[in-house]
Each structure stands twice: as structure tokens, then as C-alpha cells.
Amino acid sequence: GRGIYTDMNAIRRDEELDHLHSIYVDQWDWEKIITQEERNLDYLKKTVQTIYNVIKLLSYKVANRYPELATELPSEIFFISTKELEKQFPTLSRKEREDEITKQHKAVFIYQIGWNLEDGKPHDGRAADYDDWLLNGDIILWYDVLGHAFELSSMGIRVDEDALERQLKAAGCEDRKELDYHKALLAGKLPYTIGGGIGQSRICMFFLNKAHIGEVQVGIWPEKMIEECSEAGIELL
């Protein structure tokens, strides 16, 4: 029930830049110790709803102070697995599925990301030695400003000994078992945890109704992007 959180600032020098991604990353990263018995879907969903309640509370505070920035969010977040999402929208791409389900429900947690779906590919890539692919997911909101789904947080219950074994084998990287962290985890020397990251600039973008992440954080952008944004009336910091 205890853990850590960080006000994280980092540089991703190889990031592909667009209106949602910059080389500068700012997140609240958190990690909390849990018991083996709490490593289940119900506990994950309960934690997601707790985080969503804070996002909802923030929407009230922003709307109270700046009525012109009022945002309508549902009282509860909608949960759906990647397999259920594939079954519902079999002909759509991964991003199109996210857009469709989020447009319907406005606030969605898509869970179980990493294992292959019916078409033989995962919904999205996830490190084999980080989240448990059966107990992880993304918090996504519908964003009218951009007309598509908007990810605010990626999180999950972390791998235990069994999940690490399965996922390293599936990913073809069993050699990692010789690394210090992996050895300690497999030997039962590390606590079980749940954790994630919440995008600070993403939160600012969403509640300030901005179209580009460069409107809420200072960044470095290609000249062409700066020109296109300027023509569209978007001022990059």
C-alpha cells in the first residue's frame, strides 16, 4: 500500500515528432507495493477508477475557474479488453478501434495489451519485463479538439515470476534472465507492484483545449511543423 512517485522529466531524442509527441517528456510516474493476492483484474480496475476520479475532479476545478474550458466527462470510465475490442471492430486498425470505442464512451480503459490477438499481432507493443500483459492498459479520453482518442496514462500491475517467464519466452528474450533485476525478481527478492505514468503536458493539453503539445511545453520542432502550425493559428512555445 506504499510506494513512490516522481515528477519525471526526460529526453527521448529519437521520438517521432507530431502534435502529441515531443523529444521532451514530462510525467508523474508512480509505483505502489501490492500483495500477490491483489494481482488481479478487479484491483487493476479499482486503481484505474481512482485515478480517473482525480481526472474528473480536475475537470470540475478547471470548469469552476474557467467556464469556457468546461469539459464533459462521464462519471465512470468504461473498461474493455483488447480482445473484446478486436471482436467488436475486426476490420479496423488499432488506432481506429481506439477512436471508435472512445468516441462512444468518452473515457475508456483498454486493458490486456501485449499478447497477440486473433490476427496474430498485439494491440500495441509492451516490454516483456515490465507490465503483466494480462493486467495492464491505457487510460484514454475522447478529445473533441482533435477528433480522436487521447491517451493520458499507461499503467499496469507489474510482472511476477510466472508472468516474466512467459513474456520473456514469448518475446524471444530469455537471455535477460541473467540480468540483475530479472534474477532478483525470479528469485522472489522483489516486491509485487502496480504503477504507471500520467502525462503532465497531455493533461494540460486536454483541459486547456490545445491542438498541439508545443502549446503547453517548450520544445524543438521542425521548421515545416512550425510554419504549418503558424498558418493554422497555433503558437508553439
Side-chain angles (χ1 to χ4, degrees):
R2 297 178 65 84
I4 60 173
Y5 77 91
T6 67
D7 182 2
M8 188 277 279
N9 299 273
I11 298 295
R12 292 179 180 166
R13 64 179 187 177
D14 298 320
E15 185 68 87
E16 292 186 21
L17 305 181
D18 60 24
H19 62 296
L20 292 180
H21 299 87
S22 68
I23 61 171
Y24 170 60
V25 185
D26 52 348
Q27 295 183 167
W28 290 293
D29 281 322
W30 61 276
E31 202 80 16
K32 184 174 75 168
I33 294 173
I34 60 176
T35 66
Q36 174 73 4
E37 291 69 33
E38 289 171 326
R39 297 190 73 264
N40 59 66
L41 202 53
D42 286 341
Y43 189 85
L44 175 65
K45 289 181 176 181
K46 179 182 175 183
T47 305
V48 170
Q49 186 64 50
T50 299
I51 294 173
Y52 179 70
N53 289 345
V54 176
I55 295 171
K56 182 78 174 166
L57 178 61
L58 178 58
S59 74
Y60 293 145
K61 288 181 176 290
V62 172
N64 183 59
R65 187 163 181 176
Y66 305 103
E68 68 276 18
L69 295 177
T71 303
E72 287 190 19
L73 291 173
S75 58
E76 294 189 357
I77 193 167
F78 179 77
F79 293 91
I80 188 168
S81 72
T82 54
K83 285 188 175 182
E84 293 168 334
L85 194 59
E86 180 186 41
K87 187 175 182 180
Q88 191 167 336
F89 305 109
T91 62
L92 300 184
S93 70
R94 271 58 174 164
K95 291 302 178 185
E96 288 170 342
R97 290 172 190 169
E98 292 184 359
D99 286 344
E100 283 299 318
I101 199 67
T102 312
K103 189 173 184 180
Q104 287 180 24
H105 297 278
K106 306 305 179 185
V108 178
F109 184 71
I110 300 175
Y111 61 92
Q112 295 182 339
I113 301 174
W115 289 107
N116 288 343
L117 301 176
E118 288 296 322
D119 64 3
K121 299 176 183 178
H123 178 79
D124 199 0
R126 287 294 188 274
D129 46 11
Y130 193 37
D131 291 339
D132 186 324
W133 294 345
L134 296 177
L135 298 169
N136 66 351
D138 294 337
I139 296 176
I140 302 174
L141 306 181
W142 177 254
Y143 195 35
D144 279 325
V145 172
L146 297 174
H148 62 64
F150 192 81
E151 181 190 321
L152 285 187
S153 176
S154 180
M155 58 175 288
I157 291 174
R158 309 310 191 190
V159 290
D160 63 2
E161 300 91 328
D162 294 337
L164 181 61
E165 286 273 11
R166 287 194 304 270
Q167 292 176 190
L168 288 179
K169 185 176 182 179
C173 48
E174 291 180 277
D175 56 313
R176 292 188 191 175
K177 289 195 286 187
E178 296 305 312
L179 300 175
D180 289 344
Y181 161 74
H182 302 69
K183 276 184 179 179
L185 184 65
L186 291 169
K189 295 180 179 179
L190 299 179
Y192 301 116
T193 64
I194 181 174
I198 303 172
Q200 295 178 13
S201 289
R202 292 282 182 97
I203 290 277
C204 292
M205 272 189 74
F206 187 84
F207 286 107
L208 295 177
N209 292 336
K210 298 301 183 180
H212 196 289
I213 198 167
E215 294 181 89
V216 298
Q217 64 163 239
V218 175
I220 298 172
W221 308 102
E223 286 297 327
K224 184 179 179 182
M225 184 181 290
I226 295 173
E227 292 172 7
E228 290 174 347
C229 286
S230 180
E231 291 171 1
I234 297 171
E235 181 181 352
L236 301 182
L237 301 177

